[in-house]
Amino acid sequence: MSPMTPTPEQLLSIAREYWRPDRYQHLTQEPSPEAHKLEARWKEALQKVDRWHAFLTDLKQVLPDFTIGDGTATPDACFRCIAYPVKGRPLPPFDWVVVGCISILAPVYMLYGIEFERAGKARLGAKVSFEPLPPQMRYPADIFARKIEETFGVSALPREVAEIPVPLIVEWKEPPETLLFHALFSNEPENVP
């Protein structure tokens, strides 16, 4: 059973512990107290990275027709897994991916899809889609959701909560564009390998 999803107010309170409402870090070039806290949170989360790697291995078994990738980056506030609808290394061109994010700040996760514009093998642009996902993305997204909940015991963050604007600067994302999603997961959801 998943824990109850924190309220939007609780999630904003958590986000404020790790992100500032001003450009302190950009202006001073010194890490803010919030940045130090995020770094410490990452150190703590990475102590359990074996569980994350086992989760990715499990996804590869249950989604054998997909290439499963790890899109985790420590400037973000989440572990991120990616399902590419193709097999191979290097990856052949693909038109879409499904991404699962597990926040290291709060007991929540979020799924989204990315559709790419292409010119031959080159990706020109990316469109992020939250729920409801396009039909071709539903199968891997459903598997991601089930496996994330089983493995990590976190609950899905509803889209309407994820899209709440927050008065925080997350990396280079500034109000009024900053959403709760950016603070809990990633300021660049479209940026995947």
Side-chain angles (χ1 to χ4, degrees), residues 14-191:
I14 290 168
R16 282 188 167 130
E17 293 181 36
Y18 299 94
W19 305 106
R20 295 180 64 90
D22 58 35
R23 295 174 178 227
Y24 173 88
Q25 195 161 333
H26 301 158
L27 297 174
T28 65
Q29 300 297 310
E30 294 293 323
S32 67
E34 293 82 2
H36 285 296
K37 232 177 153 176
L38 181 61
E39 182 180 339
R41 184 67 195 102
W42 263 116
K43 284 180 184 173
E44 184 181 318
L46 289 172
Q47 290 176 4
K48 300 173 189 169
V49 75
D50 290 345
R51 187 166 111 172
W52 175 249
H53 291 142
F55 167 75
L56 293 174
T57 299
D58 190 32
L59 282 179
K60 290 173 186 174
Q61 299 300 315
V62 296
L63 290 169
D65 296 331
F66 290 80
T67 298
I68 303 300
D70 186 353
T72 303
T74 55
D76 293 333
C78 68
F79 285 99
R80 226 167 37 148
C81 55
I82 305 162
Y84 301 91
V86 295
K87 295 295 283 182
R89 292 276 189 234
L91 285 173
F94 48 90
D95 295 326
W96 58 269
V97 298
V98 172
V99 181
C101 299
I102 303 166
S103 179
I104 65 165
L105 307 181
V108 294
Y109 75 93
M110 187 115 189
L111 303 173
Y112 63 92
I114 307 171
E115 294 178 273
F116 298 100
E117 295 175 28
R118 298 197 148 280
K121 292 184 178 184
R123 287 189 280 186
L124 301 178
K127 177 185 170 222
V128 173
S129 300
F130 293 107
E131 295 290 338
L133 292 176
Q136 73 272 21
M137 296 181 189
R138 285 300 337 146
Y139 174 70
D142 290 345
I143 299 291
F144 273 19
R146 183 171 51 85
K147 289 295 186 183
I148 288 170
E149 289 175 11
E150 286 173 5
T151 306
F152 299 100
V154 294
S155 57
L157 186 66
R159 176 182 181 166
E160 61 274 8
V161 176
E163 292 180 337
I164 294 173
V166 295
L168 301 170
I169 295 176
V170 177
E171 291 296 317
W172 297 101
K173 187 75 69 180
E174 296 186 23
E177 285 82 33
T178 313
L179 305 176
L180 193 53
F181 173 88
H182 300 126
L184 295 175
F185 301 104
S186 174
N187 75 309
E188 291 184 309
E190 71 284 352
N191 189 2

